[in-house]
Amino acid sequence: MLNVHTVYKLYQKCIVRDFIYLIPLVPLSLYVRLRYYFYLQSSGVGFPQAADSKWYLDYAHNLMANFTIGTHMNDILYIGYNLLLTVLLAIFKDPATILFIQAVTASLCVILVYKITRMLFNRTAAFIAALFYSYLWDITLWATYILTDSFFISLLLLCVYLLLKCYESDKKIVKALFAVSLMYLALFRPAGILSVAFILLYIVLRLPRKSVLAFLNKHKLALGGAAAAVLMVLVYLIAGHKLNALITSMQFNAKMVLYNIYAKGWIYDHPTPYDYKYKPDYTIDVWNSLVLSFIINNWEHILHIYGKRTVAFLGRWVWQTDLSSLLGIKLFLKNMLPVLLFMLGTIAAMWNGTFRKAAVIWYVILAVFMFCIIFFIDGMYRYKAPSSPFIAIAAGYGLERIIRGTIIIAKKMTGKLLWNNKGKFSS
């Protein structure tokens, strides 16, 4: 029969093991996602379809039939997802099975959320952040669409985890996996390029300045040769008109965004009562560039649009806030709670000196924020979704600080009360 001391020692050994905390979190995350998946499957209505879903499926079937990749923007900038979807369709045939894989993958990413938060902060914050992630509606919703979003979020979490693992381990396999995942992220969809840029910025800023200068000085010839080689390849491709389709399609999409979104002052991808109305200047007088001319000639109005999108990034609830009724105040406080926890986590990380190490969380959020501000925030907040797990991490840390602070205050108050009672009864 186990005695109390043995049980306590076993408890102490288990309590420091992360898998103990993941035991309830993984089933919970799976339950939330798969419950919704099976509900849609059995509802008779089927899984939701976005306008882009059919394009992705048609492209994948065409790729399987012809084995050719075009040179337009959607062919090149989405090549990572297009190839993944093609492979999955070739293996499983049924899109519903791919959605099941998405749901399971998204669910298991609760482990990555826990691990990332654990490496940056502490175990309590990791458990809270993972709990937040388990109930994130964005993660559940987009796992039921044939779109880039669900796999992109999972890949982004994997990249950040491998990056942090590189700082803990000198194993070459970890660094190789991180490099591969980062390159794949950049090729997965256009938003990945911006995310990779901010992740690289995080890496550079964490490097000691002397080390960076020494590395550049030591490898200046190799780096110069590589830059020259890349430049020569680009010149060859442009001069040989190999990139004409890509450049033309990118210019067309830029024109569509400027003339259909910017010129109308839209915050989202469709008109709303909250848009900024103005009369745009369409004059093309800056280096014969439509994009530069429009931005420079309308920069004041564009800043207004960006300002409205900054507010809108918080959620649609900002436009529907009603502080004139008790119900409106309750809804406002409910919606503001994640924002306040996120802000508290941010301030706490800066205050206690962990922000520099944990800054990758905020850099990823900033990358998503910039993408939404520069282009548009879609009506369903699909483009904001990749930031949700990282907002949950910061908010989880914020709540952990509140709990920790409350415990410290309670201990001090209890100790003071005991001391006063001791003095009272001893007198």
Side-chain angles (χ1 to χ4, degrees), residues 12 29-30 45 70 75 85 98 111 114 117 129 132 146 284 286 291 294 333 354 386 389:
Q12 290 289 72
S29 185
L30 283 165
V45 179
D75 298 277
L85 181 61
I98 297 173
I111 300 171
Y114 179 92
T117 316
F132 286 167
I146 295 291
I284 300 176
V286 180
V291 175
F294 189 92
L333 293 175
T354 58

Side-chain angles (χ1 to χ4, degrees), residues 9 13 160 192 214 249 258 368 403 412:
K9 284 179 67 178
K13 283 184 179 180
V160 173
S249 58
L258 289 176
V368 175
I403 295 171
K412 286 183 178 180

Side-chain angles (χ1 to χ4, degrees), residues 225-247:
V230 170
L231 184 61
M232 288 175 64
V233 170
L234 286 174
V235 170
Y236 167 76
L237 291 173
I238 293 171
H241 306 290
K242 306 292 184 182
L243 299 179
N244 282 6
L246 175 62
I247 294 170

